[in-house]
Amino acid sequence: MYSILFIIGLCHLLNDTLQSVTTAMFPILEKSMGLTFTQLGLIAFTLNMVSSVMQPVIGWYSDKHPMPFALPVGLMSSLLGILGLAFANSFFTIIISVVFIGLGSAVFHPEGSRVAYMAAGSRRGLAQSIYQVGGNSGQALAPVITALVLVPLGQFGAVWFTIVAALAVLFLVYIAKWYSNRLLTTQMMKSKKKVQEHRPVTKSIILALLIIIFLIFARSWYGSAISNFYTFYAIKKYGLTIAQSQSYIFAFLFMGAVGTFLGGPLADRFGKRNVILFSLLAAAPLALLLPFVGPHLAFIILAVIGLILMSNFSVTVVYAQELIPGKVGTMSGLTVGLAFGMGAIGSVALGSLIDSIGLRPTMIGISLLPLIGILAVFLPNDNKLEVR
């Protein structure tokens, strides 16, 4: 059902745009409030950790008790958080505001992924890509938000994004009504699938999930380093302004959104494990090269890394959902929430590392992370996944 998929994908874009406002404000807050890299990492940690911890819990609960109208309610929480962020005058107030944004995101993601799953038909990879590309596109807007809104307007410019939140709430009311009707009409089909979808959690399934977790760790820590701190690296190494440095982050995140969309259809065609393996190993040599090139080549390499690396984003979600059928919300909350959580921990760890040893050594160190992708060779291939 493409209309539903495009609307929920648009809502995902709007939701993640609200989250992007927080990280987009980092250069502004660093100057206006004198925050350290560690404090900036703690802000990202709070936002992502609240979202990541709550997502699997909400996903587990909604597998048993679906909550259609939790979608617009969650976005109302994000709206309040954006208001608080615009008027915050202390580090503590910023932390409280991002807690509200994180809670809204925690509610949205597992239920939004369930809507995409329900509307997917047999094209689960494509459906998840349409849904996830909205979120990655929203994240890609962070540097644009910084350059066009926050640099000229400052911290108060965040208040304009309450309009984005209100628009998302309206769309999600429509989605919630469709979701409710869909639950009623598929009740009999759902009861038939319960026996079919029941699968004992064996040691091989646990091992596959652990591998997926390690791969998400590699992708998330690398993505966190680039999206949160590469702007400072580009300013220092290439002598760029804040606005100019944002173009590098935009290239990485925008092409990451393109990769997210392409990953699903490619997985439907060539297999989920193959796409996961390729996305990390093909990005590894480029990541190793990035810290040692000039500004023009760095821009191109960042764009290509984003395209390749993020092609596994939606694929890991579908892989986990098919690994343990019948747990759509739980697996979505685990994989997407884990991505946020790993990024949160990475923000704090990398911020502290930068304060301790400097930007350049940290950027060189994180270039090794995509090599962890070699673990994907131990994942069950798609044929085994279907008959496990």
Side-chain angles (χ1 to χ4, degrees):
M1 300 187 67
Y2 284 103
S3 61
I4 296 299
L5 288 173
F6 287 133
I7 293 173
I8 196 64
L10 175 61
C11 290
H12 200 181
L13 183 151
L14 298 176
N15 176 82
D16 283 28
T17 297
L18 300 180
Q19 285 187 262
S20 297
V21 172
T22 303
T23 53
M25 291 181 70
F26 277 7
I28 308 298
L29 296 174
E30 190 258 347
K31 281 196 168 184
S32 65
M33 299 181 68
L35 300 182
T36 66
F37 284 110
T38 301
Q39 286 177 311
L40 294 175
L42 284 170
I43 293 171
F45 174 84
T46 302
L47 173 66
N48 293 334
M49 206 63 186
V50 169
S51 174
S52 66
V53 168
M54 294 300 296
Q55 276 193 52
V57 176
I58 292 172
W60 171 81
Y61 182 82
S62 64
D63 279 334
K64 300 177 181 296
H65 310 284
M67 304 179 293
F69 284 92
L71 286 164
V73 171
L75 256 293
M76 284 298 299
S77 175
S78 296
L79 190 154
L80 294 175
I82 289 295
L83 271 177
L85 202 60
F87 293 98
N89 57 7
S90 68
F91 178 68
F92 177 76
T93 310
I94 292 172
I95 293 294
I96 295 300
S97 299
V98 300
V99 166
F100 276 94
I101 297 172
L103 285 172
S105 182
V107 172
F108 174 83
H109 281 98
E111 285 297 87
S113 186
R114 185 190 307 281
V115 169
Y117 187 91
M118 293 169 68
S122 62
R123 302 293 302 277
R124 291 178 183 173
L126 174 62
Q128 198 64 223
S129 283
I130 293 172
Y131 169 66
Q132 296 294 352
V133 75
N136 285 28
S137 299
Q139 294 168 25
L141 290 175
V144 178
I145 291 168
T146 301
L148 300 183
V149 180
L150 298 178
V151 168
L153 298 180
Q155 181 180 340
F156 181 74
V159 76
W160 288 100
F161 293 94
T162 57
I163 299 173
V164 174
L167 185 63
V169 170
L170 292 176
F171 280 124
L172 287 173
V173 168
Y174 173 81
I175 288 289
K177 291 179 179 178
W178 175 86
Y179 183 174
S180 298
N181 292 333
R182 186 76 170 178
L183 286 175
L184 292 174
T185 57
T186 60
Q187 200 66 37
M188 186 177 297
M189 185 184 302
K190 185 178 177 182
S191 64
K192 287 180 180 179
K193 283 186 176 181
K194 278 186 179 178
V195 175
Q196 177 185 337
E197 292 186 339
H198 177 72
R199 176 182 291 172
V201 181
T202 63
K203 289 182 180 180
S204 60
I205 289 177
I206 293 174
L207 177 61
L209 280 176
L210 287 174
I211 292 172
I212 289 292
I213 288 170
F214 273 107
L215 299 180
I216 291 173
F217 157 79
R219 185 190 69 213
S220 299
W221 272 52
Y222 188 83
S224 177
I226 298 299
S227 60
N228 290 332
F229 300 117
Y230 191 83
T231 180
F232 299 104
Y233 182 76
I235 289 170
K236 184 175 181 180
K237 183 176 181 181
Y238 305 132
L240 306 178
T241 65
I242 291 177
Q244 289 171 335
S245 69
Q246 295 303 305
S247 64
Y248 287 74
I249 312 304
F250 176 75
F252 175 76
L253 296 175
F254 176 79
M255 293 307 292
V258 175
T260 297
F261 176 75
L262 294 176
L266 288 173
D268 288 337
R269 175 68 178 84
F270 298 106
K272 290 176 279 294
R273 190 190 72 160
N274 293 337
V275 170
I276 293 170
L277 179 63
F278 172 81
S279 67
L280 284 156
L281 292 188
L286 295 173
L288 291 169
L289 182 63
L290 179 64
F292 304 101
V293 299
H296 302 299
L297 189 55
F299 183 90
I300 296 170
I301 289 176
L302 267 178
V304 177
I305 291 174
L307 176 70
I308 298 172
L309 187 65
M310 295 306 294
S311 64
N312 74 59
F313 193 97
S314 60
V315 182
T316 53
V317 177
V318 177
Y319 189 95
Q321 288 174 344
E322 295 186 0
L323 193 64
I324 305 181
K327 300 293 182 182
V328 176
T330 304
M331 289 299 101
S332 173
L334 178 65
T335 51
V336 180
L338 188 64
F340 281 112
M342 289 294 186
I345 296 170
S347 296
V348 175
L350 293 169
S352 299
L353 196 61
I354 291 169
D355 286 334
S356 300
I357 67 173
L359 271 169
R360 183 173 174 78
T362 301
M363 288 298 164
I364 292 173
I366 60 100
S367 66
L368 299 171
L369 287 171
L371 291 172
I372 295 175
I374 193 64
L375 291 174
V377 300
F378 299 108
L379 288 172
N381 63 35
D382 290 49
N383 292 332
K384 290 182 179 179
L385 187 64
E386 291 171 2
V387 299
R388 294 182 77 81

